[in-house]
Short mmCIF file of all heavy atoms in Angstrom, two decimals:
data_model
loop_
_atom_site.label_atom_id
_atom_site.label_comp_id
_atom_site.label_asym_id
_atom_site.label_seq_id
_atom_site.Cartn_x
_atom_site.Cartn_y
_atom_site.Cartn_z
N THR A 1 168.27 -51.15 0.70
CA THR A 1 167.73 -49.84 0.41
C THR A 1 168.92 -48.81 0.65
O THR A 1 169.13 -47.96 -0.34
CB THR A 1 166.70 -49.44 1.40
OG1 THR A 1 165.63 -50.40 1.32
CG2 THR A 1 166.03 -48.02 1.00
N LYS A 2 169.54 -48.76 1.56
CA LYS A 2 170.80 -47.92 1.78
C LYS A 2 171.82 -48.10 0.60
O LYS A 2 172.36 -46.91 0.19
CB LYS A 2 171.43 -48.17 3.15
CG LYS A 2 172.58 -47.22 3.50
CD LYS A 2 173.31 -47.67 4.75
CE LYS A 2 174.67 -46.99 5.04
NZ LYS A 2 175.22 -47.31 6.14
N LYS A 3 172.14 -49.24 0.36
CA LYS A 3 173.16 -49.51 -0.75
C LYS A 3 172.63 -48.86 -2.02
O LYS A 3 173.46 -48.28 -2.80
CB LYS A 3 173.31 -50.95 -0.79
CG LYS A 3 174.44 -51.32 -1.85
CD LYS A 3 174.97 -52.74 -1.75
CE LYS A 3 174.01 -53.74 -2.20
NZ LYS A 3 174.66 -55.11 -2.18
N HIS A 4 171.39 -49.22 -2.47
CA HIS A 4 170.96 -48.50 -3.64
C HIS A 4 170.77 -47.01 -3.65
O HIS A 4 171.07 -46.28 -4.66
CB HIS A 4 169.48 -49.18 -3.92
CG HIS A 4 169.60 -50.56 -4.41
ND1 HIS A 4 170.17 -50.86 -5.74
CD2 HIS A 4 169.09 -51.73 -4.02
CE1 HIS A 4 170.11 -52.12 -5.88
NE2 HIS A 4 169.43 -52.64 -4.95
N LEU A 5 170.55 -46.48 -2.45
CA LEU A 5 170.54 -45.06 -2.43
C LEU A 5 171.81 -44.36 -2.59
O LEU A 5 172.01 -43.47 -3.26
CB LEU A 5 169.93 -44.55 -1.00
CG LEU A 5 168.52 -44.70 -0.69
CD1 LEU A 5 168.01 -44.38 0.67
CD2 LEU A 5 167.60 -43.77 -1.67
N LEU A 6 172.85 -45.07 -1.98
CA LEU A 6 174.29 -44.57 -2.08
C LEU A 6 174.79 -44.65 -3.54
O LEU A 6 175.38 -43.90 -4.02
CB LEU A 6 175.17 -45.25 -1.20
CG LEU A 6 174.79 -45.13 0.35
CD1 LEU A 6 175.89 -45.78 1.22
CD2 LEU A 6 174.81 -43.69 0.76
N ARG A 7 174.30 -45.94 -4.18
CA ARG A 7 174.94 -46.17 -5.53
C ARG A 7 174.26 -45.23 -6.55
O ARG A 7 174.80 -44.96 -7.56
CB ARG A 7 174.57 -47.58 -5.89
CG ARG A 7 175.60 -48.59 -5.36
CD ARG A 7 175.22 -49.98 -5.73
NE ARG A 7 176.21 -50.96 -5.42
CZ ARG A 7 176.18 -52.30 -5.55
NH1 ARG A 7 175.14 -52.78 -6.29
NH2 ARG A 7 177.22 -53.10 -5.22
N SER A 8 172.87 -44.81 -6.15
CA SER A 8 172.31 -43.94 -7.20
C SER A 8 172.86 -42.54 -7.32
O SER A 8 172.67 -41.82 -8.24
CB SER A 8 170.78 -43.75 -6.72
OG SER A 8 170.74 -43.06 -5.45
N GLY A 9 173.66 -42.11 -6.28
CA GLY A 9 174.21 -40.80 -6.25
C GLY A 9 173.29 -39.74 -5.83
O GLY A 9 173.61 -38.58 -5.78
N LEU A 10 171.96 -40.08 -5.33
CA LEU A 10 171.06 -39.12 -4.97
C LEU A 10 171.51 -38.57 -3.64
O LEU A 10 171.12 -37.37 -3.43
CB LEU A 10 169.66 -39.81 -4.78
CG LEU A 10 169.08 -40.19 -6.21
CD1 LEU A 10 167.61 -41.07 -5.91
CD2 LEU A 10 168.73 -39.09 -7.20
N MET A 11 172.11 -39.31 -2.77
CA MET A 11 172.57 -38.78 -1.51
C MET A 11 173.75 -39.67 -0.99
O MET A 11 173.92 -40.78 -1.41
CB MET A 11 171.33 -38.89 -0.49
CG MET A 11 170.74 -40.34 -0.26
SD MET A 11 169.22 -40.35 0.68
CE MET A 11 168.12 -39.47 -0.49
N GLY A 12 174.48 -39.06 -0.09
CA GLY A 12 175.53 -39.77 0.54
C GLY A 12 175.18 -40.56 1.66
O GLY A 12 173.92 -40.73 2.07
N ASP A 13 176.16 -40.97 2.50
CA ASP A 13 175.92 -41.73 3.67
C ASP A 13 175.53 -40.82 4.83
O ASP A 13 176.27 -40.51 5.77
CB ASP A 13 177.23 -42.50 4.06
CG ASP A 13 176.85 -43.56 5.11
OD1 ASP A 13 175.79 -43.83 5.50
OD2 ASP A 13 177.87 -44.10 5.68
N THR A 14 174.32 -40.17 4.72
CA THR A 14 173.77 -39.14 5.59
C THR A 14 172.64 -39.64 6.38
O THR A 14 172.09 -40.79 6.16
CB THR A 14 173.44 -37.99 4.72
OG1 THR A 14 172.31 -38.28 3.86
CG2 THR A 14 174.62 -37.53 3.96
N ILE A 15 172.34 -38.86 7.29
CA ILE A 15 171.11 -39.18 8.13
C ILE A 15 169.83 -39.22 7.45
O ILE A 15 168.97 -40.04 7.68
CB ILE A 15 170.91 -38.01 9.27
CG1 ILE A 15 171.98 -38.20 10.32
CG2 ILE A 15 169.60 -38.11 9.96
CD1 ILE A 15 171.88 -37.09 11.42
N LEU A 16 169.75 -38.41 6.29
CA LEU A 16 168.50 -38.57 5.44
C LEU A 16 168.49 -39.97 4.74
O LEU A 16 167.39 -40.64 4.72
CB LEU A 16 168.56 -37.52 4.31
CG LEU A 16 167.37 -37.62 3.21
CD1 LEU A 16 166.09 -37.48 3.96
CD2 LEU A 16 167.67 -36.56 2.29
N ALA A 17 169.61 -40.62 4.24
CA ALA A 17 169.66 -41.81 3.69
C ALA A 17 169.27 -42.88 4.75
O ALA A 17 168.65 -43.96 4.51
CB ALA A 17 171.01 -42.16 3.13
N HIS A 18 169.81 -42.71 5.92
CA HIS A 18 169.47 -43.63 7.20
C HIS A 18 167.91 -43.60 7.45
O HIS A 18 167.41 -44.58 7.80
CB HIS A 18 170.33 -43.27 8.38
CG HIS A 18 171.81 -43.26 8.04
ND1 HIS A 18 172.63 -42.57 8.91
CD2 HIS A 18 172.56 -43.80 7.16
CE1 HIS A 18 173.84 -42.59 8.38
NE2 HIS A 18 173.82 -43.42 7.39
N PHE A 19 167.46 -42.42 7.35
CA PHE A 19 165.99 -42.15 7.75
C PHE A 19 165.14 -42.81 6.63
O PHE A 19 164.16 -43.68 7.02
CB PHE A 19 165.61 -40.66 7.62
CG PHE A 19 164.23 -40.43 7.91
CD1 PHE A 19 163.63 -40.28 9.17
CD2 PHE A 19 163.26 -40.31 6.86
CE1 PHE A 19 162.34 -39.95 9.33
CE2 PHE A 19 161.94 -40.01 7.01
CZ PHE A 19 161.52 -39.94 8.24
N ILE A 20 165.40 -42.75 5.38
CA ILE A 20 164.64 -43.32 4.32
C ILE A 20 164.70 -44.83 4.44
O ILE A 20 163.66 -45.64 4.28
CB ILE A 20 165.11 -42.89 2.91
CG1 ILE A 20 164.72 -41.36 2.82
CG2 ILE A 20 164.29 -43.62 1.84
CD1 ILE A 20 165.25 -40.69 1.51
N SER A 21 165.85 -45.35 4.49
CA SER A 21 166.12 -46.88 4.53
C SER A 21 165.41 -47.44 5.82
O SER A 21 164.89 -48.38 5.73
CB SER A 21 167.62 -47.11 4.65
OG SER A 21 168.30 -46.55 3.55
N SER A 22 165.58 -46.79 7.05
CA SER A 22 164.90 -47.25 8.21
C SER A 22 163.47 -47.07 8.13
O SER A 22 162.57 -48.17 8.62
CB SER A 22 165.30 -46.57 9.43
OG SER A 22 165.15 -45.29 9.33
N PHE A 23 162.92 -46.16 7.53
CA PHE A 23 161.30 -46.12 7.37
C PHE A 23 160.81 -47.22 6.48
O PHE A 23 159.89 -47.83 6.80
CB PHE A 23 161.07 -44.78 6.69
CG PHE A 23 159.47 -44.53 6.64
CD1 PHE A 23 158.82 -44.03 7.52
CD2 PHE A 23 158.97 -44.97 5.42
CE1 PHE A 23 157.38 -43.86 7.43
CE2 PHE A 23 157.49 -44.56 5.21
CZ PHE A 23 156.85 -44.21 6.24
N THR A 24 161.64 -47.44 5.40
CA THR A 24 161.15 -48.55 4.52
C THR A 24 161.28 -50.00 5.20
O THR A 24 160.26 -50.78 5.05
CB THR A 24 162.07 -48.62 3.30
OG1 THR A 24 162.06 -47.22 2.68
CG2 THR A 24 161.75 -49.63 2.33
N CYS A 25 162.21 -50.19 5.95
CA CYS A 25 162.44 -51.57 6.55
C CYS A 25 161.32 -51.64 7.60
O CYS A 25 160.82 -52.82 7.96
CB CYS A 25 163.90 -51.74 7.00
SG CYS A 25 164.23 -50.91 8.57
N GLY A 26 161.01 -50.66 8.36
CA GLY A 26 159.97 -50.65 9.38
C GLY A 26 158.65 -51.06 8.78
O GLY A 26 157.89 -51.90 9.31
N LEU A 27 158.30 -50.47 7.69
CA LEU A 27 157.05 -50.79 7.19
C LEU A 27 156.99 -52.26 6.54
O LEU A 27 156.00 -52.99 6.74
CB LEU A 27 156.73 -49.91 5.88
CG LEU A 27 155.40 -50.15 5.09
CD1 LEU A 27 154.18 -50.03 5.89
CD2 LEU A 27 155.32 -49.20 3.96
N ALA A 28 158.18 -52.58 6.02
CA ALA A 28 158.21 -54.16 5.49
C ALA A 28 158.10 -55.02 6.70
O ALA A 28 157.46 -55.97 6.56
CB ALA A 28 159.54 -54.26 4.84
#
């Protein structure tokens, strides 16, 4: 998830990217 967020250019390696990636992996 983090790799795709960074590759998409929507956000950098920021706390927001870490938040979205960690929320997704917790649900899964």
Side-chain angles (χ1 to χ4, degrees):
T1 303
K2 177 185 169 185
K3 183 164 73 173
H4 283 298
L5 286 173
L6 298 182
R7 282 183 174 178
S8 70
L10 295 173
M11 58 190 70
D13 191 10
T14 62
I15 288 179
L16 179 59
H18 306 155
F19 176 88
I20 294 172
S21 302
S22 56
F23 180 88
T24 304
C25 78
L27 177 58

